[in-house]
Amino acid sequence: AGGGGCRGDRDAFSFLPHCKGWVVCVPQDPRVLDSMLPYLTAYYGNPHSRTHAYGWESEAAMEKARRQVADLIGADSREIIFTSGATESNNMAIKGVARFYKSGKKHIITTQTEHKCVLDSCRSLETEGFRVTYLPVKKNGLIDLMELEAAFQPDTSLVSVMTVNNEIGVKQPIHDIGEICRAHKVFFHTDAAQAVGKIPVDVNTMKIDLMSISGHKIYGPKGVGAIYVRRRPRVRLEPLQSGGGQERGLRSGTVPTPLAVGLGVACEVAQQEMEYDHKRISRLAEQLVKKIMSEVPDVVMNGDREQRYPGCINLSFAYVEGESLLMALKDVALSSGSACTSASLEPSYVLRAIGTDEDLAHSSIRFGIGRFTTEEEVDYTVQKCIQHVKRLREMSPLWEMVQDGIDLKSIKWTQH
């Protein structure tokens, strides 16, 4: 967990012999840690203290980090507000815009497959009298732009659509959504925690008004993130917390200089290495999917095959209980969904939204491939996955019935 609330979508395999069950983890880039260390030891001033050199040093480092974040997304540094992570950024964007413009606008549009913190923010606003349209998605996980057009109402203030889905890796048509929102004069927010630093993002060409960013998704430190808030045309927010008025009055509280520095360097490294990382991750992802699907029948890839970020792969293994497979693969950091909902035995709401049958949703595993994933780790995971899927199917009476040619949907089950 990290970033103001858990957004547990690990971006690399990790082998943890001491683990029980399964975990999520995203490694921090060593270059990020190196940049932070001086601000954890020698340069300890408060960046908001304007009366001494210690404060000036920290302020200069903080502003440099702000520019590094802005450069990655094509923004002005004055449009970057530091937060504790994408969960806080999402809450700020959705609640902040809704409450500021509530006198004339009481309607919000989002999708059914957003991150839990976006959906919960919208549900919270519904208790305050706001109306929310939760757009369905197609079977490939993408929204229908015509349905989006039809959802606008005269008092719509905000549209919030995630750039890359944290569970199935689907990449929404953000540029088209931005154009539609701008034509309707409605603010457009995107949760880009899974996209920033991994795919090219430009807030101006994509007509994005607010964007949420997470530090640990780009190999930065946990507990820090940012929100982009457009200055022209200006987006106004009602702050979530009161205090000293730091961060343009939108997010009071002392900015943690070491974390901000780490986020800035993570953004700079991501900008420099994005193309290389993307090619390498794409190759490893293709290797993983091809090997598993060539050896194991009845495997379904969830989400669109083309419009996706390759580092997030969601596979359903029919006739296998996902939790059993996760336990069998306990030396690999995998998950069956977002860590935010990992305590629930309910199947993923994202998979339900794309029309996945409940039994297939229960058999889904999410694989993350990132900057530090090795080819050997992919091969190990593939080998173990194939081995345990075959073993678990041999123990399954449903698999035996399917092998005998029985259509499971034709069976009338009874309860005793």
Side-chain angles (χ1 to χ4, degrees):
C6 66
R7 298 181 54 82
D9 322 305
R10 77 283 127 253
D11 292 299
F13 296 121
S14 291
F15 294 87
L16 307 171
H18 59 281
C19 284
K20 301 298 180 187
W22 44 275
V23 299
V24 293
C25 50
V26 181
Q28 184 167 295
D29 194 299
R31 291 165 288 188
V32 171
L33 178 60
D34 289 344
S35 72
M36 293 169 60
L37 285 175
Y39 297 93
L40 290 163
T41 54
Y43 305 114
Y44 47 81
N46 186 320
H48 310 292
S49 295
R50 303 291 174 83
T51 58
H52 51 72
Y54 301 110
W56 302 335
E57 288 170 340
S58 294
E59 182 186 28
M62 179 181 71
E63 293 307 321
K64 179 183 177 182
R66 204 186 301 275
R67 289 192 299 273
Q68 290 168 319
V69 176
D71 288 346
L72 181 60
I73 62 172
D76 185 302
S77 62
R78 293 170 294 180
E79 298 173 312
I80 302 300
I81 306 298
F82 289 115
T83 67
S84 64
T87 289
E88 183 184 353
S89 299
N90 285 334
N91 273 263
M92 283 178 65
I94 294 165
K95 295 175 181 176
V97 167
R99 290 168 180 167
F100 189 90
Y101 296 96
K102 66 183 177 183
S103 61
K105 298 189 173 184
K106 302 281 282 187
H107 180 242
I108 300 161
I109 301 171
T110 188
T111 78
Q112 295 176 1
T113 54
E114 295 300 302
H115 190 271
K116 191 173 187 296
C117 64
V118 169
L119 297 177
D120 282 359
S121 293
C122 289
R123 293 188 187 105
S124 175
L125 288 172
E126 286 183 292
T127 66
E128 299 176 25
F130 291 89
R131 305 184 319 282
V132 181
T133 297
Y134 299 94
L135 289 175
V137 294
K138 295 180 284 188
K139 284 190 73 66
N140 63 0
L142 298 174
I143 69 167
D144 186 321
L145 294 176
M146 292 181 66
E147 288 190 6
L148 173 62
E149 284 269 15
F152 284 95
Q153 297 179 16
D155 64 341
T156 302
S157 63
L158 182 72
V159 171
S160 181
V161 179
M162 182 185 279
T163 306
V164 172
N165 188 272
N166 60 306
E167 290 197 30
I168 58 177
V170 167
K171 185 169 60 178
Q172 297 290 353
I174 295 300
H175 183 275
D176 295 335
I177 297 170
E179 293 281 1
I180 292 169
C181 291
R182 188 63 59 87
H184 284 269
K185 297 182 178 179
V186 168
F187 293 130
F188 174 38
H189 164 254
T190 185
D191 174 358
Q194 296 287 347
V196 167
K198 299 176 183 177
I199 60 173
V201 173
D202 188 292
V203 292
N204 292 309
T205 58
M206 293 177 163
K207 305 287 193 300
I208 295 167
D209 298 305
L210 304 109
M211 175 188 284
S212 301
I213 299 169
S214 173
H216 69 272
K217 293 298 161 199
I218 50 175
Y219 313 100
K222 293 179 175 67
V224 69
I227 181 172
Y228 158 77
V229 182
R230 181 176 289 281
R231 295 179 76 242
R232 292 191 179 90
R234 188 177 182 188
V235 182
R236 306 290 294 273
L237 304 178
E238 183 177 298
L240 290 185
Q241 57 194 49
S242 305
Q246 295 92 338
E247 297 298 278
R248 285 173 45 197
L250 296 179
R251 204 275 186 181
S252 291
T254 301
V255 172
T257 307
L259 297 182
V261 167
L263 174 61
V265 171
C267 287
E268 187 175 85
V269 171
Q271 190 169 16
Q272 293 167 353
E273 302 189 357
M274 189 186 305
E275 186 178 352
Y276 173 81
D277 281 349
H278 197 277
K279 285 180 180 176
R280 184 174 171 280
I281 289 167
S282 297
R283 178 174 57 80
L284 292 176
E286 186 178 3
Q287 175 182 325
L288 181 138
V289 173
K290 274 189 173 180
K291 285 187 176 180
I292 288 178
M293 289 192 160
S294 65
E295 293 285 333
V296 181
D298 297 305
V299 178
V300 177
M301 178 185 279
N302 296 302
D304 193 271
R305 287 290 191 110
E306 303 299 325
Q307 297 301 315
R308 66 182 306 108
Y309 170 65
C312 182
I313 304 161
N314 192 304
L315 300 178
S316 291
F317 298 88
Y319 320 113
V320 171
E321 176 56 51
E323 297 296 323
S324 300
L325 183 55
L326 283 171
M327 293 303 295
L329 294 166
K330 60 179 177 291
D331 57 342
V332 184
L334 299 167
S335 73
S336 57
S338 170
C340 304
T341 53
S342 63
S344 171
L345 293 178
E346 289 295 310
S348 160
Y349 66 85
V350 173
L351 296 181
R352 287 205 303 263
I354 64 174
T356 305
D357 290 340
E358 188 161 329
D359 56 343
L360 210 54
H362 272 297
S363 72
S364 298
I365 300 292
R366 188 181 50 169
F367 301 84
I369 298 176
R371 181 180 295 163
F372 302 109
T373 307
T374 67
E375 196 161 334
E376 292 73 25
E377 288 171 340
V378 171
D379 287 339
Y380 177 91
T381 301
V382 167
Q383 173 202 339
K384 288 291 182 181
C385 188
I386 292 169
Q387 173 191 335
H388 288 296
V389 167
K390 289 180 176 179
R391 179 181 63 82
L392 290 168
R393 281 180 174 173
E394 286 172 6
M395 298 165 58
S396 169
L398 296 179
W399 176 248
E400 188 177 334
M401 293 165 72
V402 169
Q403 297 304 105
D404 291 339
I406 299 172
D407 180 5
L408 298 182
K409 291 185 178 178
S410 67
I411 297 174
K412 293 182 179 179
W413 304 96
T414 59
Q415 290 183 334
H416 296 282

